[in-house]
Amino acid sequence: MTHPASWLHPRPEGLFCAPGGFFIDPVRVVDRAVITHAHSDHARGGHKAVLARAETAALMQARLGRGRTAYQTLGWGEVLRLGEVKIWLQPAGHVLGSAQVAMEYRGQLVVVSGDYKRQPDRSCEAFVPVPCDVFVTEATFGLPVFRMPDPVAEIARLTDSLALFPERTHVVGCYSLGKTQRLITLLRDAGWDRPIHVHPALMPMCKIYADFGIRLGDLRPIEGDLAGAIVLAPPNCANDRWAFADPVACLASGWMLSARRAKQSGAEIPMAISDHADWDGLLRTIGETGAPEVWVTHGSEDALIHELTRRGITGRALRLVGYGAEG
Amino acid sequence: MKDFAALLDRLRFCPTPAHRARVLATGSPEAQALLRGEVKLRSIKLAVLRALAEARCDPALFALSQEFLGDFTETLALIWPARATNAAPPSLAEVIEAQHAESLLEGWLDAAEPASRHALLRLATGKIRPIASVKAPEGQGGQVTAMLLTAQSGRVGLERLYSFGVHDGAGLVPIARVTEVSAPDRATLEAWVRDHGGAKFGPVREVASGLVADIAFDAVAHSTRHKAGLALHGARIAELRPDLDRADDLATFRTLLG
């Protein structure tokens, strides 16, 4: 048995698996990268070879172009040998194609979560806990004040406002990959079957979701009569007054749980909808992996490690840099 | 309590008094009365809340959380480790009835979900700005749609002071004085003063009514020195509204402010 700290190291490029010769979500260009999901801070362009889910590869190519990168894709649970390491992917429930990376070397099993969440989400595969010796987790919302409300209730705040202000266009700020498509599926499940107007920057990712069988319904460009319509736009565009008469600015982000952040956002309806595990989600997941040792990649690691220590679990902050805090 | 918490959230960042009035109308009679300032609630001392936080929360986690959120009440509401209870969360009517009996608060916090806990604690600490109290809702203050009344030249001849008013009966009553104006807005205002200027009283020139603007402000206070009975702090032009020919009514604006 070889302790994982001796073969899995944080490096400036990212987390490096020495016996496998690959980086996980490297922030600089490397020869061999395993990519957990297609968000730009985890999936940079220019690597020589990328191993990922087919969905992630498609989303990356749509964003970055094909380039010279050689993509290899893996099915869920399909085991591959890289050097002396056995590696496979399990769903992380963050965005379409998001995966945890499981690695086995000399009798020790390490799982790198990537970004993940435990709330139900029809737009991607649900998180599957993998029992392991070391669980490497994110901690974007690693404070006990972060407990996400039911997203269905958050969506109801939007639809209630549409009922109260049927003449106002409701413009929702959301990131192009993940949040957009989750909002659309939540709205559809809430019975919103009218067209949803989508900013051109969000459309390519929606198309890939549809290609992978996620039903998003009638999506249209931002034109025509928009009174009482829902418009989805990148967060930096959502506060623009555009051409809408008396718009309602909304923003979907886990950070909207903080009153100060909500105020700073300038949104009239700040919605706490996140694709990251909240405090309870982090602790539940760590419990389910049964891991006696947990490494924290990025986020609010101090509080999480404090709580893990209280529970008899060894916590270690990797302090990987370069990962954003999109909520 | 859940409905009341949702109502507070929806009101909080509503851009204009007219919008707030529509949202407020969806609230329960108790909620409306409370937010109009017709019902007073006894406040709970902060020390009581601090004692609850100490008794129920891990101090290190509380400190890290408060550092992040920057607000004690909010931290307590969100971090609260609720004990399982069969009790239903209190209704707003119950809370008003009990006048925040300190002995009930802990049980209420256990029974409520985070948003309701926050509303409950804001009530307990007297932090609801209501639409109805003397202060505009914290955050973006508020907005009022008003009509240009006068333009006044400053001492150095460069600085201008514009006053705006709202309808009061058949006339207009001054409600805000604005000095800092963006260059394009200033050009529009000056053009209006040039073309529609009227009588001059010293440095103050009256203008014909017709130019409407949304005035944003940071806070509003009752004032006996102003004709409108209230004074706006930090008033500035949010947007000129050439599409409008009428300002808000003082009565409506007052109802919203209490």
Side-chain angles (χ1 to χ4, degrees), chain A residues 137-185:
Chain A
T137 185
E138 58 137 330
T140 304
F141 290 109
L143 284 169
V145 282
F146 289 118
R147 290 156 160 168
M148 297 300 159
D150 181 355
V152 173
E154 292 297 283
I155 286 291
R157 296 174 54 214
L158 173 59
T159 50
D160 286 352
S161 177
L162 281 152
L164 185 62
F165 295 107
E167 76 286 6
R168 302 175 74 192
T169 307
H170 287 58
V171 186
V172 188
C174 49
Y175 290 103
S176 65
L177 168 56
K179 195 63 63 69
T180 297
Q181 297 78 19
R182 185 166 182 224
L183 286 177
I184 295 170
T185 56

Side-chain angles (χ1 to χ4, degrees), chain A residues 258-282:
Chain A
S258 152
R260 186 162 61 179
R261 292 282 187 101
K263 179 176 157 184
Q264 284 164 352
S265 77
E268 185 169 336
I269 305 184
M271 297 189 288
I273 298 180
S274 175
D275 289 325
H276 292 271
D278 63 3
W279 176 255
D280 295 331
L282 292 170

Side-chain angles (χ1 to χ4, degrees), chain A residues 143-147 161 164-165 167-168 246 255 257-260 263 266-270 303 306-307 310, chain B residues 9-10 12-15 19 22-23 26 58 60-61 64-65 67-69 74-75 78-80 117 139-140:
Chain A
L143 284 169
V145 282
F146 289 118
R147 290 156 160 168
S161 177
L164 185 62
F165 295 107
E167 76 286 6
R168 302 175 74 192
D246 192 17
W255 297 113
L257 271 182
S258 152
R260 186 162 61 179
K263 179 176 157 184
E268 185 169 336
I269 305 184
H306 173 86
E307 178 64 21
R310 244 170 44 87
Chain B
D9 276 346
R10 188 62 187 86
R12 185 148 193 220
F13 301 118
C14 254
H19 290 123
R22 265 161 85 179
V23 174
T26 65
D58 179 291
L61 292 180
L64 286 166
S65 298
E67 186 188 343
F68 185 89
L69 293 177
E74 185 188 5
T75 304
L78 298 182
I79 203 174
W80 186 257
R117 285 201 296 263
Q140 301 170 332

Side-chain angles (χ1 to χ4, degrees), chain A residues 28 59 69 77 156 170 211 247 280-281 289 312:
Chain A
R28 299 181 189 173
L59 291 163
T69 304
H170 287 58
D211 291 345
D280 295 331
T289 65

Side-chain angles (χ1 to χ4, degrees), chain A residues 30-268:
Chain A
V30 301
D31 285 349
R32 299 175 74 163
V34 177
I35 304 295
T36 61
H37 66 285
H39 275 149
S40 56
D41 48 344
H42 291 258
R44 312 263 165 155
H47 306 309
K48 258 190 197 155
V50 160
L51 179 69
R53 283 282 302 175
E55 297 91 335
T56 301
L59 291 163
M60 283 177 73
Q61 285 166 26
R63 258 207 18 248
L64 304 163
R66 231 201 123 91
R68 289 192 188 156
T69 304
Y71 285 91
Q72 184 181 356
T73 60
L74 271 185
W76 295 126
E78 185 188 335
V79 180
L80 187 75
R81 189 171 266 284
L82 284 178
E84 302 168 68
V85 177
K86 274 203 256 177
I87 176 172
W88 68 98
L89 304 178
Q90 290 291 1
H94 177 59
V95 298
L96 182 70
S98 65
Q100 307 170 73
V101 181
M103 290 162 285
E104 195 181 331
Y105 176 65
R106 296 195 180 165
Q108 289 278 303
L109 181 59
V110 179
V111 173
V112 177
S113 72
D115 291 340
Y116 66 101
K117 74 166 171 294
R118 304 305 302 269
Q119 280 184 340
D121 178 358
R122 175 161 79 71
S123 69
C124 65
E125 296 258 355
F127 183 95
V128 174
V130 183
C132 54
D133 299 294
V134 172
F135 184 58
V136 185
T137 185
E138 58 137 330
T140 304
F141 290 109
L143 284 169
V145 282
F146 289 118
R147 290 156 160 168
M148 297 300 159
D150 181 355
V152 173
E154 292 297 283
I155 286 291
R157 296 174 54 214
L158 173 59
T159 50
D160 286 352
S161 177
L162 281 152
L164 185 62
F165 295 107
E167 76 286 6
R168 302 175 74 192
T169 307
H170 287 58
V171 186
V172 188
C174 49
Y175 290 103
S176 65
L177 168 56
K179 195 63 63 69
T180 297
Q181 297 78 19
R182 185 166 182 224
L183 286 177
I184 295 170
T185 56
L186 282 166
L187 281 163
R188 296 308 185 201
D189 292 351
W192 185 268
D193 48 17
R194 291 167 51 187
I196 295 176
H197 299 266
V198 175
H199 188 279
L202 310 181
M203 213 46 131
M205 299 289 129
C206 292
K207 194 177 168 307
I208 292 175
Y209 270 65
D211 291 345
F212 279 95
I214 310 295
R215 291 188 313 278
L216 301 176
D218 187 356
L219 303 185
R220 302 212 185 151
I222 305 177
E223 56 191 34
D225 178 17
L226 296 171
I230 296 177
V231 170
L232 304 184
N236 54 344
C237 299
N239 278 350
D240 294 354
R241 298 244 128 189
W242 297 44
F244 310 125
D246 192 17
V248 180
C250 316
L251 184 64
S253 161
W255 297 113
M256 295 303 102
L257 271 182
S258 152
R260 186 162 61 179
R261 292 282 187 101
K263 179 176 157 184
Q264 284 164 352
S265 77
E268 185 169 336

